[in-house]
C-alpha cells in the first residue's frame, strides 16, 4: 500500500484515484497520524500531498520527520515537496508571484520518476513558494521557465519531489510519472482489484458481524445497492434491508427496487409504504429547506419503526464512500463538508445504539460501480444517475401535490426515455425535469391554453461539486419538448436550464 499524507490540497482525492487506477491500494491520512500507525501500515511508499499553507507560516501542517528514516521512497508534491526540502535541510523561498496554470517542463534526467517521459512536456503549476536551496545529496531533475526546481531527487535515499501536480489531467505525462514512482521506485505490484477487494470485504464483514443482524436503508441508488449486495454475499439472511417509499419517487421506482432485490438477489427487504404520511406532512409547504427537513425527519421516523420490527438488530450498514470520510476529517474543513450536510437525508438513527458497518468506506464512486459489476449487478443498476433523498419534492418548486407529482413523473419518463435512446444516460451526471410554479399561455389546436412550465436540467460532472450544463443536441431537446407538451396534460411550455455549478446548484431546491 501507498500512504498519502493529506496536507489539504484540493487535488488529494485525485492522487488517490490515480494510484488506484494503477491497481495499487492507497490510503489518505492526516498529517497528525501517529508515527506508530505509519509504521504499522507498512507502506511501500509515501506521497506527501500539496496544500494551501506556506511552510514557514506558523502552524503549517507537518508530518513526523521520522518518515524519512524508514528507508522507503517518498514523493513530495507541491507543498509536500516544500515540506520535504525544509525537513531535510533545504530552503524554501517565497516567489515573486504565484505561478498558476500550464508551464513548459524541461526534464534534465529522463530516468527514475521521469523514465519514459518526453523531455519537453507540459505540467500544471499552482504554488506561491518555491525551492531556494536543495538539501545535501539532492539534484534538480526538471525545470520550467519560471521555476528552476520543478523537480528534484535524492536517488540513493529514493526521495522525489515535484513542484507541479502530476495527478491532474493538465499534466499529460503525470500518470506515467506516478506509475514510475509506484512500480520502478517503490516496487509495488498491481494487486488492487475489485475482485480482491470483494474477497477481503466479505471476510471483514463476517468477522465484524458474527451471527448478528444488520439493517440497511436501501434507496435503490448505486451506493446502498452495492452495499446491500456485498453484505448479502457476506452474511446472507442476516441482512435486513428497509426501503422507504416516501411518495416522491419516480415512476415505477419502488416496484423496480422490490423486484431486483427480492426476486433477483433474494435479499430480505422490508417495504415501508409511507407515501401518504410524507405527502400529508408536505401539504401547504413550499419553502425548500422546510420540505427537506420534513422529509428527513419523517424518513428517520419510518425507518426506525421498521427497524424495531426486526428482532435483535445490532448493526446499521451504510453505503458511505471514501470522499465523505476524507472530507469529514479534512484538516482544513473545506467547504465540501458543509455543502453536503443537508444531503444526508436520513442521517443516523442515533437512538438505536447500533454499531456502524460501512463496507464501501475506502472506495471512490467509480470503484463502487466496478465492484457492483464484480458482484454480478447489471449495468443498469450500477450506472444509475444520482437521485436526491428528498426526491421529486425538490423538483416541484412550491407546494408538492399529488397532481403536480403526476405531471412531473410523466414528463420525467419521457425525458429519460429520450436520453437513453440517444445513448446519453451514462455520459450525463444527471438529467431530470423540474416543474415550475409558473403558468404561461399557449395554443393547442384552436384552443388557448394556460398551463405549467417545465424545465429540463442536464449536467456533466465528475463529483457533483462542480457541474456544467450539458450541450445536448438541439434536435434532441426539440424532440423532448415536443413529446412532453403533446403527451403530458398540464404542460404547455418546456425550457432548458443553461446554468452551471457554481454559482447555481444541480438541483433547483
Ligand atoms: P446540488 O443541488 O447541491 O446537488 O448541486 C449535488 C448532488 O447531490 C444530490 N443531492 C442530494 N442527494 N440527498 C441526496 O442524497 C439530498 O438531499 C440531496 N440534495 C442534492 C444532487 O442530486 C446532486 O447529485
Amino acid at each position: 500500500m501507498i500512504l498519502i499524507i493529506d496536507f489539504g490540497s484540493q487535488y488529494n482525492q485525485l492522487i488517490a484515484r490515480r494510484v488506484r487506477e494503477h491497481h495499487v491500494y492507497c490510503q489518505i491520512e492526516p498529517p497528525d497520524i501517529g508515527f506508530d500507525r505509519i509504521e504499522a501500515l507498512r507502506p511501500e511508499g509515501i506521497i506527501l500531498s500539496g496544500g494551501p499553507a506556506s511552510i514557514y507560516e506558523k502552524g503549517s501542517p507537518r508530518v513526523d520527520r521520522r518518515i524519512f528514516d524508514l528507508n522507503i521512497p517518498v514523493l513530495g508534491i507541491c507543498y509536500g515537496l516544500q515540506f520535504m526540502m525544509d525537513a531535510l535541510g533545504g530552503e524554501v523561498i517565497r516567489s515573486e508571484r504565484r505561478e498558476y496554470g500550464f508551464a513548459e517542463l524541461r526534464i534534465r534526467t529522463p530516468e527514475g520518476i521521469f523514465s519514459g517521459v518526453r523531455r519537453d512536456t507540459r505540467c500544471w503549476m499552482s504554488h506561491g513558494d518555491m525551492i531556494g536551496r536543495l538539501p545535501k545529496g539532492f539534484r534538480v531533475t526538471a525545470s520550467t521557465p519560471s521555476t528552476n526546481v520543478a523537480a528534484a531527487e535524492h536517488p540513493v535515499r529514493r526521495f522525489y519531489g515535484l513542484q507541479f501536480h502530476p495527478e491532474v489531467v493538465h499534466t499529460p505525462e503525470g500518470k506515467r510519472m506516478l506509475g514510475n514512482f509506484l512500480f520502478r521506485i517503490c516496487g509495488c505490484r498491481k494487486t488492487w482489484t475489485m475482485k480482491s477487494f470483494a474477497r477481503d470485504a466479505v471476510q471483514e464483514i463476517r468477522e465484524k458481524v458474527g451471527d448478528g443482524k444488520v439493517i440497511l436503508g436501501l434507496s435503490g441508488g448505486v451506493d446502498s445497492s452495492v452495499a446491500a449486495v456485498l453484505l448479502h454475499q457476506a452474511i446472507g439472511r442476516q441482512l435486513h434491508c428497509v426501503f422507504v417509499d416516501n411518495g416522491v419517487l419516480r415512476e415505477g421506482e419502488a416496484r423496480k427496487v422490490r423486484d431486483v432485490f427480492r426476486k433477483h438477489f433474494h435479499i430480505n427487504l422490508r417495504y415501508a409504504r409511507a407515501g401518504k404520511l410524507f405527502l400529508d406532512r408536505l401539504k401547504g409547504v413550499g419553502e425548500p429547506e422546510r420540505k427537506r427537513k420534513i422529509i428527513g425527519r419523517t424518513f428517520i421516523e419510518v425507518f426506525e419503526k421498521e427497524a424495531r420490527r426486526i428482532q435483535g438488530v445490532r448493526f446499521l450498514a451504510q453505503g458511505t464512500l471514501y470522499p465523505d470520510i476524507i472530507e469529514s476529517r479534512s484538516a482544513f474543513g473545506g467547504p465540501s463538508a458543509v455543502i453536503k450536510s443537508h444531503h444526508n437525508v436520513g442521517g443516523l438513527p442515533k437512538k438505536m445504539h447500533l454499531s456502524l458497518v460501512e463496507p464501501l468506506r475506502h472506495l471512490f464512486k467509480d470503484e463502487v460501480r466496478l465492484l457492483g459489476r464484480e458482484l454480478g449487478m447489471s449495468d443498469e443498476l450500477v450506472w444509475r444517475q444520482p437521485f436526491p433523498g428528498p426526491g421529486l419534492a425538490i423538483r416541484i418548486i412550491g407546494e408538492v401535490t399529488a397532481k403536480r407529482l403526476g405531471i412531473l413523473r410523466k414528463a420525467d419518463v419521457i425525458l429519460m426515455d429520450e436520453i437513453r435512446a440517444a445513448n446519453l444516460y451514462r455520459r450525463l451526471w444527471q438529467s431530470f425535469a423540474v416543474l415550475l410554479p409558473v403558468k404561461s399561455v399557449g395554443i393547442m389546436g384552436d384552443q388557448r391554453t394556460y398551463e405549467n412550465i417545465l424545465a429540463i436540467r442536464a449536467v456533466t460532472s465528475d463529483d457533483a461539486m462542480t457541474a456544467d450544463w450539458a450541450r445536448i443536441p438541439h434536435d434532441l431537446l426539440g424532440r423532448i419538448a415536443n413529446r412532453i407538451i403533446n403527451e403530458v396534460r398540464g404542460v404547455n411550455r418546456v425550457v432548458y436550464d443553461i446554468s452551471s455549478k457554481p454559482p447555481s446548484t444541480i438541483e433547483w431546491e
Side-chain angles (χ1 to χ4, degrees):
M1 68 93 69
I2 293 288
L3 173 64
I4 300 170
I5 299 293
D6 179 0
F7 284 133
S9 156
Q10 54 176 326
Y11 301 130
N12 280 345
Q13 291 186 29
L14 272 183
I15 303 178
R17 280 165 64 171
R18 296 289 165 267
V19 171
R20 291 193 188 179
E21 277 164 16
H22 281 292
H23 300 288
V24 173
Y25 180 66
C26 61
Q27 226 168 283
I28 302 183
E29 297 291 340
D32 59 6
I33 177 181
F35 185 67
D36 293 349
R37 186 149 149 68
I38 295 181
E39 279 188 306
L41 285 170
R42 303 206 306 157
E44 281 154 307
I46 297 179
I47 298 180
L48 307 172
S49 88
S54 181
I55 191 69
Y56 42 71
E57 253 169 33
K58 224 174 123 208
S60 57
R62 280 155 201 274
V63 65
D64 197 309
R65 282 167 198 238
R66 283 173 288 173
I67 58 167
F68 297 111
D69 304 326
L70 285 171
N71 193 26
I72 54 174
V74 181
L75 168 63
I77 295 174
C78 198
Y79 176 87
L81 161 68
Q82 292 158 11
F83 167 78
M84 181 185 334
M85 295 294 104
D86 185 70
L88 298 174
E91 192 190 4
V92 179
I93 53 173
R94 197 182 281 281
S95 43
E96 307 216 318
R97 57 197 164 92
R98 216 184 133 69
E99 191 182 14
Y100 184 83
F102 283 113
E104 301 299 327
L105 186 70
R106 192 91 231 276
I107 291 169
R108 299 193 191 169
T109 28
E111 53 196 47
I113 204 155
F114 294 132
S115 185
V117 174
R118 281 185 294 135
R119 275 193 163 222
D120 292 295
T121 178
R122 295 211 292 176
C123 66
W124 184 258
M125 287 286 194
S126 169
H127 64 115
D129 297 344
M130 55 192 217
I131 309 308
R133 183 170 41 77
L134 292 171
K136 230 173 106 220
F138 275 83
R139 64 181 185 203
V140 178
T141 50
S143 309
T144 70
S146 53
T147 305
N148 183 33
V149 188
E153 66 175 17
H154 189 312
V156 180
R157 297 184 71 188
R158 297 181 297 165
F159 296 155
Y160 298 80
L162 305 175
Q163 183 55 74
F164 56 90
H165 291 273
E167 68 275 24
V168 302
V169 286
H170 312 300
T171 301
E173 299 265 34
K175 189 168 179 191
R176 187 186 292 263
M177 296 173 196
L178 285 173
N180 285 337
F181 179 69
L182 300 175
F183 303 116
R184 287 177 184 271
I185 297 165
C186 299
C188 295
R189 283 174 306 128
K190 301 190 176 205
T191 51
W192 172 252
T193 61
M194 284 306 113
K195 202 190 192 96
S196 66
F197 173 84
R199 199 184 45 223
D200 296 349
V202 162
Q203 189 64 28
E204 200 182 306
I205 293 167
R206 284 185 186 147
E207 275 164 23
K208 172 154 190 181
V209 168
D211 59 3
K213 281 187 194 162
V214 180
I215 187 168
L216 169 82
L218 188 65
S219 70
V222 179
D223 307 341
S224 65
S225 299
V226 173
V229 175
L230 178 65
L231 280 153
H232 183 251
Q233 254 190 28
I235 55 171
R237 306 297 285 177
Q238 285 163 253
L239 172 69
H240 294 260
C241 295
V242 173
F243 177 78
V244 176
D245 182 347
N246 57 11
V248 284
L249 302 171
R250 279 164 300 184
E251 186 67 38
E253 183 72 7
R255 186 175 28 84
K256 218 179 309 170
V257 171
R258 263 186 304 185
D259 283 354
V260 169
F261 290 93
R262 271 198 196 142
K263 294 196 187 136
H264 181 74
F265 287 111
H266 306 290
I267 288 178
N268 279 326
L269 177 68
R270 288 188 88 85
Y271 176 76
R273 194 189 303 271
K276 184 160 181 319
L277 177 66
F278 280 84
L279 288 188
D280 282 350
R281 290 189 179 170
L282 285 170
K283 207 166 266 166
V285 179
E287 209 274 313
E289 277 309 295
R290 270 198 66 209
K291 282 191 204 171
R292 283 178 171 276
K293 291 216 171 87
I294 290 171
I295 294 173
R297 254 201 334 262
T298 311
F299 176 87
I300 296 188
E301 208 180 294
V302 174
F303 184 84
E304 282 186 346
K305 200 164 135 207
E306 282 305 314
R308 273 197 296 272
R309 295 203 172 132
I310 307 164
Q311 291 284 309
V313 174
R314 294 206 339 254
F315 299 90
L316 174 74
Q318 288 192 320
T320 319
L321 303 193
Y322 201 32
D324 299 326
I325 305 258
I326 303 168
E327 277 157 21
S328 65
R329 63 154 193 229
S330 160
F332 298 92
S336 38
V338 182
I339 295 165
K340 276 198 179 153
S341 63
H342 69 289
H343 291 166
N344 301 330
V345 171
L348 266 186
K350 290 197 183 66
K351 281 186 292 185
M352 298 173 63
H353 304 297
L354 301 172
S355 346
L356 261 190
V357 181
E358 295 178 313
L360 311 180
R361 70 188 179 285
H362 285 307
L363 301 187
F364 290 107
K365 190 89 176 180
D366 43 344
E367 293 175 319
V368 171
R369 294 200 158 110
L370 291 176
L371 174 63
R373 294 296 286 137
E374 184 65 43
L375 296 170
M377 298 170 72
S378 67
D379 262 347
E380 199 197 328
L381 258 181
V382 302
W383 282 101
R384 305 200 79 183
Q385 293 179 357
F387 184 71
L392 300 181
I394 54 166
R395 294 179 180 173
I396 292 174
I397 312 303
E399 190 187 354
V400 181
T401 62
K403 185 161 175 226
R404 292 183 81 74
L405 267 169
I407 295 175
L408 183 58
R409 281 203 180 105
K410 286 203 187 97
D412 181 70
V413 169
I414 295 171
L415 170 67
M416 293 325 260
D417 212 35
E418 291 292 338
I419 292 286
R420 283 207 175 86
N423 248 331
L424 285 178
Y425 183 82
R426 262 166 80 159
R427 269 191 272 158
L428 297 175
W429 174 264
Q430 268 169 303
S431 44
F432 55 88
V434 181
L435 185 59
L436 309 193
V438 182
K439 287 188 168 188
S440 78
V441 174
I443 172 163
M444 223 168 202
D446 292 329
Q447 298 283 326
R448 173 188 192 268
T449 59
Y450 185 53
E451 299 285 10
N452 296 286
I453 303 180
L454 188 108
I456 305 289
R457 180 82 164 133
V459 296
T460 52
S461 173
D462 284 333
D463 50 13
M465 303 299 292
T466 62
D468 197 9
W469 61 278
R471 272 50 169 185
I472 289 187
H474 290 176
D475 286 351
L476 175 60
L477 281 173
R479 203 158 50 242
I480 293 169
N482 246 331
R483 278 195 60 192
I484 291 178
I485 294 169
N486 281 317
E487 297 173 33
V488 182
R489 266 273 182 80
V491 177
N492 70 352
R493 191 176 297 271
V494 170
V495 296
Y496 189 51
D497 180 352
I498 51 168
S499 359
S500 291
K501 173 182 180 175
S504 302
T505 53
I506 297 177
E507 303 288 346
W508 278 40
E509 287 196 335

